[in-house]
Amino acid sequence: MALHTMTMAELTAGLESGDFTSVDVTRSLLDRIAKHDAQLNALITVTGDAALAAAAQADADRAAGNAGMLNGLPVIHKDIFCTRGVKTSCGSKMLDNFVSPYDATVVERMAAAGAVVLGKANMDEFAMGSSNETSFYGPVQNPWDLECSPGGSSGGSAASVAARFAPAATATDTGGSIRQPAALTNTVGIKPTYGRVSRYGMIAFASSLDQAGTITRTAEDAARVLGVMAGFDERDSTSVDVPVPDYLGEIGESIKGLRVGIVRQHFDEGLDADCAVKVKEAIAVLESLGATTVEVDLPNIDLSVPTYYVVAPAECSSNLSRFDGVRFGHRAENAEDLFDLYCRSRGEGFGDEVKRRIMTGAYVLSAGYYDAYYLKAQQVRQLIADDFRKAFADVDVIAGPTTPTPAFRLGDKVDDPITMYLNDIYTIGANLAGLPAISVPCGFVNDLPIGLHLVGTHFAESTLLRCAHQYQQETDWHMACPEDFA
Amino acid sequence: MSLDKDQVQQIATLARLKLSEDEYAESVKKLSKIVDFVDQLSQADTSGVIPMAHPLDVAQRLRPDEVTEPDQRDRYQENAASVTNGLYLVPKVIE
Amino acid sequence: MSWEVVIGLEIHTQLATKSKIFSGASTAYGAEPNTQACLVDLGYPGVLPVLNKEVVHMAAMFGLAVNATVAPRSVFARKNYFYPDLPKGYQISQYELPIVERGELFITDAAGNEKRIGITRAHLEEDAGKSIHEGLDKSSGIDLNRAGTPLLEIVSEPDIRSAKEAVAYMRKIHTIVRYLGISDGNMQEGSFRCDANVSVRPKGQEAFGTRAEIKNLNSFRFVEKAINFEVERQIELIEDGGEVVQETRLYDSDKDETRSMRSKEEANDYRYFPDPDLLPVEIAADFIESVRAELPELPDAKQQRFVEEYEIKKDDAAILTISRQVAAYFEEVAGATDANAQLVANWVVGELSGALNKDGLEIGDSKVSATELAGLLTRIHDNTISGKIAKQVFEAMWAGDGSADEVIEAQGLKQITDSSAIEAVVDKVIEANPGQVAEYKAGKDKLIGFFVGQVMKETQGQANPGQVNQILKAKLSG
């Protein structure tokens, strides 16, 4: 069996048996990247030498009996995570020259667990986008159809895993940026509960919505990686001190009796009819495994996209003020005065979508508009969170589609921001309420993959992973591989 | 609700973003669309609802008052475009 | 037209923690530029703030010391604006829900009456860095060592009605924060800064006039002068038919005038919103009680006690209690000598303070310890030396010549109390000055001073003045 087709579970077994070494695996994947990434543009930086060194170290550690959970396993980090000594661009010209002096907590923990980092994944600029078309480094192509977008903002992470460049990639999700690309590339993407994974070292977009997660091909691998990423970090005030369950150990449990909620508002004209069919079939599989379904109501869910597009820009407009060319990042040449330095450094360094969101944010926070927009949005956000809480009184998970359609063509939606924003319509609620959610491959429409979306209660990642894993024991959508990347 | 060019200029100034004439035109168009879109929020009945600032209902954790950061100026300043005698340089500011 | 002055003060005091409010970098003063600016202070991508426990403790102490409410829940907010000394492009501060609200303190007004000044609020925020504008050609240099130092911003109600009251209020706050040990109040180093909001209105008018804000006053003297200038400026402006503009002004101490600041903060919309990287600060009632229990005796209470317990003058008690350390010194001396407490007060307020000021020392570095001073005052009390000689002894002690007894011994300064010895000198003086004797006997009583002076001269000042007076009078009347 070719190394690149193996899951982390399979690789770990092979490493343990001595069938191959981490250096073997790493070399094989690096070759693959060299051969195929020109087509996809999924990676901004490849850290080949460091990867081989880390692989050799991992092999030595394993031999010495010191193998961590991710020992010898190649991973790719979304270029939003600070990696010490390595370029960290966040998909932006603003940070094209930025070499991070420190590692994000997520990067530290995975390295300590023995992971081998192959490189940094392409992404929508500053995580703003749903198609990976806003990157300074050019769009990422979807391995399933090179003329299509892989989704965003974690497009590079998703495409890398789908193309078998690595069994796992880290990613981040603010409005759906892990789950949507996972759905569009036939991979598993999980966004944990807000506060479950440390945000320290993860370049901030919208602080109260951002969460780090992972994209893998199986729920089992997601459980393995999440188990390493998750946990309290004293460097992040929003990190929650709640013990991390044994996700990997718990995925085997049955989902008999699991109560699955179906949102009345989801299956309406906004959802592609074929997608609706596939998602309903997936839910039927859950029922065959012993789950029960009931309709739930999320009355304010239609306001989730406008709510998000007030809150997220507001927070990002402030978070991105630190990019001014003074201490790091792009600096305009020959600035006449301070005002010119700021305006041109930022004008040149940021792309259109980022500038648009910064301006939207500045507007909704400005005097005279704060109450009508920002304050109002935070109130509606509370209503949405309350809706979920009420729904979860009767159900354990809420199931539905991850996206309204399968992958769309690159260039299709760039002219109208609203059409692009509506891609996130099913995923955004979970971010607003801070709830964990996962997307699992559940079929193909017009030969393009789509995903089943499951939302859980706070800190119920184990339930989601278990549900996804059991589903994957019954189905084989996730095993499909894009033709050109077999 | 539509924004006009003056408003967009004010916002761009507040946010320290230099835009070209074309970018201004695009921004007026697109920002107006976005503002129109989010105006939907006014439909919601939010009387008596406490605005959510955090999805978690947790209080701020406190850290002990200890010096834990050593001097790493040289390493950190490797990323700065303009430094003299350890100071970050900007065009002269007159107060 | 009779004018009333309305003043509100905003005092920024740096809290004396070891590390910064949101990071573990050091707050020590005087380090090389940017050697105490960690990634959080530099506003690097991806870093996050974590709140310093001691900062909350100190704010709570202050709140209790001014009879304020310590908020059970307070929130940090971002104040957004661009300036090079503000690396994140926003300052983390508190806006709608500050940690301390509705306090008060008492000053003595011009008429000598106690006056209450309300304290609207006190909130926590991070300090910005420093800009250096000289010596860098066409650039300004930014040092972010100070960025992230914790500040407590204390806002008074507009209850202050004169520059003198403003200074009294400022001094009181200065004393309180030093008493509590929450700030060193060092104005030269910038750890205690004051902004004054000044307006005028016709006496009797209820509505406030337009106010101007004078920023960054860093001495009591400047606060007084700046306010006085500004008040005059505003009155003249209005009387000439003009209008006061709401603006920020700076005080130029060289020219003794305020002038409008260049538009640093002109038309700034700060777009405050709760900081999403920080959670609400919750303070439990039992924490507040534990802070209350460990509060030191506060200046007003101590002053009162000194007047009652030591029976010293109110003015002296006021001076002695400006600093907790000086008050403690006073009490140590008073406790170690049988000399009258007022004498102790006189000496601490007089000679000792004079010596400290001359050498630029704080009481903690005094060259004469409390025990040593007590020893000296005991020797005045038991008549070993006169008060005047004591000053000489004190000088020698300050110079390091030993204890009071050692100096007295070494310099042979023991007071002469032997009557026959004094009589002998008096006789000598009377004999040597027949002219003055005659004038004195003729009625020029004031000449007693001359004779006393002569006797003191003869005895190098060591004759007991009381006895000299007595013996002279007796001999001259006979």
Side-chain angles (χ1 to χ4, degrees), chain A residues 99 101 331 363 373 376 378, chain B residues 1 39 44 46 52 75 79:
Chain A
V99 174
R331 185 183 176 111
Y363 179 72
Y373 291 107
K376 185 80 177 178
Q378 294 287 45
Chain B
M1 193 178 91
D39 272 338
T46 52
M52 182 204 281
R75 211 158 68 79
N79 272 304

Side-chain angles (χ1 to χ4, degrees), chain A residues 409-422:
Chain A
R409 295 171 78 81
L410 288 164
D412 256 8
K413 306 198 184 197
V414 287
D415 287 330
D416 182 6
I418 307 304
T419 321
M420 187 66 86
Y421 294 167
L422 287 171

Side-chain angles (χ1 to χ4, degrees), chain A residues 370-385:
Chain A
Y370 178 87
D371 285 356
Y373 291 107
Y374 186 77
L375 202 60
K376 185 80 177 178
Q378 294 287 45
Q379 286 176 306
V380 178
R381 184 176 175 182
Q382 185 61 58
L383 289 178
I384 292 169

Side-chain angles (χ1 to χ4, degrees), chain A residues 93-406:
Chain A
K93 176 175 175 179
M94 180 60 85
L95 292 177
D96 182 43
N97 66 358
F98 179 67
V99 174
S100 176
Y102 76 109
D103 277 332
T105 298
V106 159
V107 171
E108 260 179 19
R109 290 189 178 179
M110 289 175 67
V116 172
V117 180
L118 301 179
K120 307 295 290 296
N122 200 348
M123 53 181 282
D124 274 310
E125 186 181 3
F126 281 105
M128 301 181 203
S130 308
S131 65
N132 220 133
E133 289 174 286
T134 68
S135 171
F136 174 62
Y137 301 96
V140 174
Q141 263 94 301
N142 191 324
W144 292 91
D145 180 339
L146 297 177
E147 293 183 14
C148 282
S149 159
S153 64
S154 311
S157 299
S160 297
V161 173
R164 275 81 174 144
F165 289 171
T170 55
T172 63
D173 191 312
T174 306
S177 294
I178 291 178
R179 297 160 284 153
Q180 183 249 25
L184 303 186
T185 55
N186 207 50
T187 51
V188 173
I190 182 165
K191 177 202 87 72
T193 309
Y194 184 83
R196 176 78 281 183
V197 177
S198 171
R199 291 188 299 115
Y200 185 79
M202 192 176 116
I203 298 175
F205 159 19
S207 315
S208 75
L209 299 165
D210 294 345
Q211 260 301 274
T214 179
I215 294 180
T216 54
R217 296 191 327 264
T218 62
E220 186 183 19
D221 282 357
R224 176 185 295 266
V225 180
L226 190 62
V228 171
M229 290 172 79
F232 175 66
D233 180 9
E234 58 184 25
R235 292 175 291 190
D236 174 5
S237 292
T238 60
S239 168
V240 178
D241 196 357
V242 165
V244 181
D246 177 12
Y247 297 128
L248 203 51
E250 292 175 13
I251 52 171
E253 293 165 21
S254 148
I255 61 165
K256 191 155 176 213
L258 189 76
R259 298 167 304 163
V260 177
I262 317 286
V263 180
R264 189 157 58 77
Q265 289 86 353
H266 279 172
F267 290 86
D268 62 10
E269 342 66 66
L271 177 61
D272 173 286
D274 294 326
C275 287
V277 167
K278 285 278 172 252
V279 171
K280 286 192 174 145
E281 283 172 10
I283 294 170
V285 171
L286 296 180
E287 284 176 299
S288 76
L289 290 169
T292 57
T293 60
V294 66
E295 193 180 74
V296 294
D297 198 8
L298 296 177
N300 293 287
I301 205 71
D302 285 340
L303 291 174
S304 55
V305 181
T307 300
Y308 175 85
Y309 281 100
V310 168
V311 175
E315 293 181 4
C316 97
S317 71
S318 182
N319 283 332
L320 267 60
S321 293
R322 67 192 62 200
F323 299 105
D324 56 17
V326 176
R327 300 164 312 294
F328 48 78
H330 177 76
R331 185 183 176 111
E333 308 235 318
N334 303 319
E336 285 173 11
D337 55 32
L338 188 65
F339 186 74
D340 185 39
L341 178 70
Y342 284 157
C343 294
R344 272 200 300 127
S345 298
R346 292 162 60 79
E348 292 165 10
F350 292 137
D352 291 339
E353 183 61 28
V354 169
K355 284 190 270 208
R356 202 151 33 239
R357 297 209 194 181
I358 289 174
M359 288 194 284
T360 305
Y363 179 72
V364 302
L365 287 175
S366 63
Y369 297 107
Y370 178 87
D371 285 356
Y373 291 107
Y374 186 77
L375 202 60
K376 185 80 177 178
Q378 294 287 45
Q379 286 176 306
V380 178
R381 184 176 175 182
Q382 185 61 58
L383 289 178
I384 292 169
D386 290 341
D387 286 350
F388 273 106
R389 212 170 9 90
K390 288 184 200 129
F392 279 120
D394 302 321
V395 301
D396 304 305
V397 301
I398 291 173
T402 307
T403 56
T405 64

